């Protein structure tokens, strides 16, 4: 027989010392060696694992000497339970993601399906309460790296200091991070829900503010859901801002004059879809009537050259513009926010990949009125970015550097009067593309931050 | 002064802007079809100078000066120059690339290739895999040469599909299955996802690929696969 590769993850919160001790005993079973008893083999006894519970309940803790072989399962049967307490071998394969430490501190145990009944019976017998954290976890036991990913994903950090910025996270982890950051920095950070996605998910924006009635700077990441390094960088930026206020002179000076608004998951429906179904999904998830294809390109849906060349009228296209400008709730929410705020002075929308810093326009070759200034700021921002790790960036207007694109975000924000409107295309240039290895998240975020600081600093020093 | 039958309009291009980038991208694919291997892949790192000339009868010609390097072997950068002619016409036809590649860095990979070949030409060898890299950018060390091989094979398709309105990269290997070795060539069935930056589309191709140290990479068959209209898990 083979050991199962499907698991449940149970969360057990011990109510008292006795439970902590029992759980510690259970956790001893995690790191074990085989002890084969000759008698057991000659007797050829077989044990049905389902009956394990009665054995565990029967044996008192000092005769309880369960050992588990981590790679093989042995079934043994006998009428003599006392013998079994000593001789039993089985494949429990528990994996404690959070060890039992103390009363009220949760314990997380990954339990293979075949061990569920004995473990749950053990807990029930001892009246230890547990919750099922993950009901069905497929784990390839040979893939250590995948296990680590799953493990670190399920461990909700106790604080944003524990959050792993060097890995990709799920939507719920990022939302938990957002709440934690607000909780830890109540005088600086608040959360604004600017609307709801098509599928009803909150559109969360972090507001960093040190005073009332300030002009604002907007940063968004993840408008295209497959561009995972952007949401990951967004979480890093959030932590960076909260950490650097009061410590870094330049950032403090900016926050003493401006509010910073940061939307990390600008397209949550799409983001969820990249986790569950299609890693390469770009658009929103709104169905298109009369078509089998869903979704609108949220970066072609803005009212700036809407419907022109550089977007598609075909719902199946990745650059489908939608039936009318601002048709997507994810876009409309930002439009409404910008309009009602009325005092944003910089707007940065972050994408990947290509390594570019771009300014308007995308929909027309006509240079924008502030082209010279935007170009000069971009030059300095890119120089600052490159100074960190040597990453090369191109810069210029969207239509010159990358392609004609109509209905784009920063064309609209610029035409609303937000002069310092920029779009980034982060790492890389095509080697990994959208699937950038996680070890590049933090370097990418760090170098991008240098460029953002140049833009924000210039915004502060050049009021308009 | 213009010659009879030939109108020459030469235009200098900004080497960072999209026309030069797309041409450089086609050159990259071209170089990889010639010299790519499971242990060698080239990337055009920068275009330094670019110029176009409309060739009235034949098409649009680009003249590029560029840098390229082998990023698998981590070679030094080589500075080269090349001509790329995108043909006129309604149907897609690959650009014609002309350059001299004698100076291209070609690190010695024969030992690695031989070892790899010996290992996977065993009668019972049946490599298979999917989603390389995975969603998080991870690639098993052992699968890397197969990923490189897919990129070389994809380069043939990407070159064939290139025109002035495309910029292709291979986004992911969806599937790889090893087939029986034939005529001393390792053979693989690949399903690859290509990303066209200009349309933003993800295009699926099925490729039948053969390789050996002596034979190099050959793409025996290609098949464009229909788009995956993946449904979201409902309820």
């Amino acid at each position: 027989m083979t050991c199962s590769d499907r698991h449940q993850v149970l969360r057990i919160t011990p109510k008292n010392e006795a439970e902590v001790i029992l759980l510690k005993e259970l956790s001893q079973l995690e790191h074990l060696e085989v002890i084969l008893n000759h008698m057991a083999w000659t007797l050829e006894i077989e044990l049905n694992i389902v009956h394990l519970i009665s054995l565990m309940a029967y044996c008192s803790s000092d005769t309880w000497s369960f050992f588990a072989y981590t790679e093989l399962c042995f079934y043994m049967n006998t009428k003599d339970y006392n013998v079994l307490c000593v001789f039993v071998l089985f494949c429990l394969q528990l994996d404690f993601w959070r060890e039992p430490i103390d009363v009220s501190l949760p314990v997380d145990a990954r339990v293979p399906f075949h061990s569920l009944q004995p473990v749950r019976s053990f807990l029930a017998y001892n009246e230890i309460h547990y919750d099922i954290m993950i009901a069905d976890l497929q784990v390839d036991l040979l893939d250590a790296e995948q296990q680590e990913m799953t493990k670190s994903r399920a461990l909700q950090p106790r604080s944003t200091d524990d959050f792993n910025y060097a890995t990709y996270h799920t939507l719920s982890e990022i939302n938990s991070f957002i709440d934690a950051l607000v909780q830890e920095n109540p005088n600086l950070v608040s959360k604004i829900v600017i609307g709801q996605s098509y599928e009803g998910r909150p559109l969360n924006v972090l507001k960093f503010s040190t005073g009332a009635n300030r002009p604002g700077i907007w940063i968004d990441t993840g408008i295209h859901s497959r561009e995972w390094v952007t949401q990951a960088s967004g979480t890093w930026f959030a932590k960076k801002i909260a950490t650097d206020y009061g410590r870094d002179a330049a950032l403090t000076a900016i926050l003493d004059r401006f509010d910073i608004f940061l939307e990390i998951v600008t397209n949550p429906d799409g983001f969820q879809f990249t986790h569950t179904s299609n890693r390469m999904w770009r658009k929103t998830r709104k169905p298109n009537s009369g078509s089998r294809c869903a979704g609108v390109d949220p970066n072609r849906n803005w009212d700036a050259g809407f419907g022109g060349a550089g977007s598609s009228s075909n719902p199946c296209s990745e650059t489908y513009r939608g039936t009318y400008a601002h048709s997507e709730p994810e876009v409309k929410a930002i439009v409404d926010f910008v309009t009602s705020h009325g005092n944003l002075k910089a707007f940065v929308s972050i994408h990947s990949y290509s390594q570019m810093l771009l300014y308007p326009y995308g929909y027309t070759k006509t240079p924008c009125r502030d082209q010279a200034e935007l170009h000069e700021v971009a030059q300095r921002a890119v120089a600052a970015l490159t100074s960190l790790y040597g990453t090369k960036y191109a810069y210029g207007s969207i239509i010159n550097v990358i392609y004609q694109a109509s209905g784009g975000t920063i064309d609209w924000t610029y035409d609303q009067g937000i002069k310092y409107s920029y779009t980034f295309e982060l790492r890389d240039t095509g080697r990994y593309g959208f699937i950038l290895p996680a070890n590049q998240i933090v370097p990418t975020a760090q170098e991008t931050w240098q460029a953002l600081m140049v833009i924000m600093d210039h915004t502060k020093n050049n009021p308009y | 002064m213009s010659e009879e039958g030939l109108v020459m309009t030469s235009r200098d291009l900004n080497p960072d802007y999209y026309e030069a980038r797309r041409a450089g991208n086609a050159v990259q694919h071209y170089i990889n079809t010639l010299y790519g291997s499971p242990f060698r892949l080239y990337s055009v790192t920068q275009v330094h100078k670019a110029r176009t000339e409309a060739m009235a009868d034949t098409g649009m010609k680009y003249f590029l000066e560029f840098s390229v390097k082998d990023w698998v072997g981590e070679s030094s950068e080589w500075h080269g120059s090349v001509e790329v002619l995108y043909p006129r016409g309604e149907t897609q036809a690959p650009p014609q690339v002309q350059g001299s590649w004698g100076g291209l860095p070609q690190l010695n990979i024969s030992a690695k290739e031989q070892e790899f070949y010996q290992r996977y030409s065993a009668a019972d060898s049946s490599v298979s895999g999917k989603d390389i890299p995975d969603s998080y950018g991870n690639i098993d060390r052992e699968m890397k040469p197969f990923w490189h091989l897919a990129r070389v094979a994809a380069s043939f398709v990407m070159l064939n599909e290139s025109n002035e309105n495309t910029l292709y990269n291979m986004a992911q290997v969806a599937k790889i299955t090893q087939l029986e070795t034939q005529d001393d060539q390792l053979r693989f069935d690949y399903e690859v996802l290509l990303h066209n930056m200009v349309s933003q589309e993800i295009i699926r191709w099925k490729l039948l690929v053969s390789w050996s140290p002596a034979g190099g990479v050959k793409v025996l068959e290609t098949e464009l696969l229909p788009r995956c209209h993946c449904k979201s898990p409902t309820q």
Side-chain angles (χ1 to χ4, degrees):
Chain A
M1 63 74 68
T2 52
C3 300
S4 113
D5 61 359
R6 290 172 68 202
H7 301 245
Q8 274 195 4
V9 181
L10 308 182
R11 170 158 290 176
I12 308 140
T13 309
K15 299 188 294 296
N16 52 53
E17 275 300 330
E19 290 189 4
V20 177
I21 291 167
L22 274 168
L23 288 172
K24 281 185 175 169
E25 282 180 346
L26 193 65
S27 80
Q28 300 311 311
L29 301 172
E30 190 181 7
H31 318 283
L32 304 165
E33 297 163 2
V34 176
I35 294 184
L36 267 173
N37 186 294
H38 280 305
M39 285 200 62
W41 277 113
T42 48
L43 288 175
E44 289 177 318
I45 44 181
E46 286 172 285
L47 169 73
N48 186 326
I49 273 181
V50 172
H51 295 302
L52 205 54
I53 179 273
S54 43
L55 304 176
M56 288 163 112
Y58 187 86
C59 303
S60 63
S61 40
D62 49 5
T63 60
W64 198 39
S65 48
F66 283 119
F67 296 91
Y69 193 121
T70 56
E71 275 153 28
L72 280 177
C73 298
F74 296 90
Y75 282 118
M76 301 203 283
N77 259 329
T78 185
K79 296 185 199 96
D80 185 344
Y81 288 112
N82 281 328
V83 173
L84 277 169
C85 280
V86 177
F87 298 156
V88 159
L89 305 164
F90 51 85
C91 180
L92 249 200
Q93 282 186 293
L94 298 181
D95 178 20
F96 278 75
W97 288 2
R98 262 207 258 246
E99 303 280 337
I101 300 170
D102 206 347
V103 177
S104 306
L105 288 178
V107 175
D108 292 341
R110 174 169 67 83
V111 183
F113 268 29
H114 65 256
S115 303
L116 268 177
Q117 239 191 12
V119 171
R120 294 200 338 203
S121 301
F122 169 81
L123 295 170
Y125 177 82
N126 290 288
E127 290 176 14
I128 301 176
H129 175 77
Y130 66 91
D131 290 306
I132 299 173
M133 237 171 71
I134 301 175
D136 192 340
L137 179 69
Q138 291 264 12
V139 175
D140 179 350
L141 293 172
L142 301 171
D143 191 339
E145 212 166 353
Q146 217 186 7
Q147 277 190 60
E148 268 316 300
M149 206 39 242
T150 319
K151 191 170 180 172
S152 80
R153 191 178 311 132
L155 287 175
Q156 301 280 5
R158 296 191 174 97
S159 83
T160 63
D161 288 330
D162 292 337
F163 190 84
N164 187 349
Y165 297 92
T167 188
Y168 291 108
H169 289 275
T170 62
L171 182 59
S172 69
E173 286 166 0
I174 295 176
N175 283 331
S176 299
F177 163 85
I178 287 170
D179 289 337
L181 192 72
V182 169
Q183 212 182 41
E184 292 162 16
N185 301 278
N187 297 325
L188 179 64
V189 193
S190 58
K191 180 175 85 173
I192 309 174
V193 184
I194 61 169
Q196 272 195 334
S197 70
Y198 171 75
E199 289 176 347
R201 296 184 172 88
L203 300 170
N204 293 322
V205 173
L206 282 168
K207 177 182 180 181
F208 299 85
S209 181
T210 66
N213 299 319
R214 300 269 173 88
I217 292 168
W218 169 281
I219 302 169
D220 66 71
T221 52
I223 193 169
H224 287 141
S225 36
R226 62 190 180 194
E227 298 165 6
W228 277 18
V229 72
T230 70
Q231 299 96 336
S233 294
T235 57
W236 189 91
F237 298 150
K239 180 61 172 170
K240 179 70 171 161
I241 297 168
T243 306
D244 273 9
Y245 181 70
R247 286 192 183 81
D248 175 79
L251 191 270
T252 304
I254 289 165
L255 267 175
D256 283 344
R257 298 258 282 278
F258 291 84
D259 295 338
I260 298 176
F261 297 95
L262 175 57
E263 187 175 11
I264 298 174
V265 187
T266 306
N267 178 4
D269 295 351
F271 189 55
Q272 185 66 10
F273 198 68
T274 58
H275 280 273
T276 58
S277 303
N278 182 354
R279 177 64 180 80
M280 297 292 170
W281 191 261
R282 165 183 168 91
K283 301 188 287 183
T284 64
R285 286 298 302 159
K286 179 133 109 3
N288 294 304
S289 83
S291 173
R292 72 195 189 291
C293 300
V296 165
D297 184 343
N299 199 23
R300 299 291 186 279
N301 187 241
W302 300 73
D303 195 7
F306 180 82
S311 66
S312 171
S313 58
N314 180 349
C316 294
S317 165
E318 295 282 23
T319 56
Y320 176 53
R321 62 179 76 112
T323 41
Y324 56 91
H326 308 167
S327 62
E328 301 311 280
E330 296 84 355
V331 170
K332 183 72 164 58
I334 303 174
V335 168
D336 290 346
F337 176 84
V338 169
T339 313
S340 68
H341 186 284
N343 204 17
L344 294 181
K345 295 301 180 187
F347 193 104
V348 181
S349 192
I350 301 184
H351 294 253
S352 77
Y353 59 93
S354 284
Q355 291 174 201
M356 296 168 175
L357 176 51
L358 306 167
Y359 50 79
Y361 290 112
Y363 77 91
T364 174
K365 277 225 177 252
T366 306
C368 71
R369 211 190 53 220
D370 303 288
Q371 155 117 349
E373 184 187 357
L374 294 182
H375 195 82
E376 193 272 332
V377 174
Q379 184 172 38
R380 285 191 288 115
V382 163
L385 185 155
T386 305
S387 73
L388 218 52
Y389 297 111
T391 307
K392 292 203 192 107
Y393 263 59
Y395 57 96
S397 68
I398 296 167
I399 198 167
N400 281 338
V401 179
I402 188 168
Y403 44 46
Q404 185 176 26
S406 62
T409 309
I410 66 164
D411 285 1
W412 181 81
T413 59
Y414 181 81
D415 281 348
Q416 294 300 299
I418 306 175
K419 179 160 54 154
Y420 302 114
S421 288
Y422 284 96
T423 276
F424 278 82
E425 294 278 357
L426 302 186
R427 291 193 194 181
D428 60 12
T429 54
R431 187 179 306 182
Y432 288 97
F434 300 119
I435 329 185
L436 195 70
N439 62 13
Q440 290 198 47
I441 294 172
V442 172
T444 301
Q446 289 171 329
E447 66 191 12
T448 308
W449 184 250
Q450 301 299 309
L452 283 170
M453 283 298 291
V454 168
I455 293 170
M456 294 197 290
D457 205 59
H458 184 89
T459 305
K460 170 177 75 78
N461 296 334
N462 295 272
Y464 63 94
Chain B
M1 170 121 91
S2 70
E3 291 177 24
E4 174 89 21
L6 204 74
V7 175
M8 307 228 281
T9 35
S10 179
R11 193 164 59 96
D12 277 333
L13 298 174
N14 186 315
D16 282 340
Y17 288 2
Y18 73 86
E19 294 110 316
R21 297 183 159 275
R22 292 176 195 177
N25 174 263
V27 171
Q28 177 176 302
H29 298 321
Y30 175 80
I31 294 174
N32 282 319
T33 62
L34 291 185
Y35 299 107
S37 143
F39 296 93
R40 184 192 291 140
L41 268 173
Y42 292 96
S43 175
V44 166
T45 52
Q46 202 168 1
V47 177
H48 302 291
K49 277 205 189 124
R51 186 169 63 85
T52 58
E53 263 177 41
M55 306 293 186
D57 290 338
T58 39
M60 186 67 87
K61 200 176 237 197
Y62 288 69
F63 300 82
L64 305 180
E65 276 177 42
F66 65 99
S67 286
V68 66
K69 72 174 195 192
D70 163 16
W71 55 268
V72 174
E74 290 177 359
S75 77
S76 55
E77 286 202 353
W78 179 68
H79 199 109
S81 58
V82 68
E83 287 177 20
V84 181
L85 175 63
Y86 289 105
R88 276 166 71 88
E90 292 301 314
T91 51
Q92 168 62 28
Q96 287 158 46
V97 180
Q98 248 187 316
S100 50
W101 310 109
L104 198 63
Q106 293 195 52
L107 303 171
N108 193 330
I109 49 172
S110 50
K112 287 188 185 144
E113 288 192 321
Q114 277 305 326
E115 198 220 321
F116 181 71
Y117 178 73
Q118 292 308 324
R119 184 162 173 200
Y120 293 102
S121 54
D124 59 352
S125 176
S126 62
V127 172
S128 69
K130 64 186 184 88
D131 296 342
I132 302 162
D134 68 14
S135 289
Y136 313 97
N138 299 315
I139 307 177
D140 254 1
R141 217 164 57 91
E142 291 198 356
M143 294 309 283
K144 276 211 160 147
F146 297 105
W147 179 58
H148 300 150
L149 178 60
R151 300 187 81 96
V152 180
S155 298
F156 285 84
V157 174
M158 294 193 286
L159 180 65
N160 276 348
E161 298 296 305
S162 284
N163 57 53
E164 286 173 283
N165 296 311
T166 64
L167 199 158
Y168 276 104
N169 287 301
M170 188 184 86
Q172 194 181 36
V173 174
K175 259 191 252 172
I176 170 184
T177 314
Q178 182 172 13
L179 307 171
E180 243 179 60
T181 300
Q182 223 177 66
D183 301 327
D184 295 328
Q185 308 299 306
L186 301 187
R187 293 194 317 147
F188 303 93
D189 207 27
Y190 273 106
E191 199 178 293
V192 298
L193 305 183
L194 304 183
H195 173 234
N196 179 0
M197 181 66 74
V198 181
S199 66
Q200 292 293 350
E201 298 293 334
I202 302 287
I203 304 138
R204 308 173 83 89
W205 282 88
K206 196 164 181 302
L207 308 174
L208 177 61
V209 179
S210 77
W211 175 81
S212 72
V217 180
K218 289 193 170 51
V219 179
L220 306 173
E221 281 170 32
T222 67
E223 185 188 338
L224 176 62
L225 296 178
R227 240 184 91 115
C228 166
H229 289 292
C230 306
K231 286 195 166 62
S232 81
T234 45
Q235 299 100 41

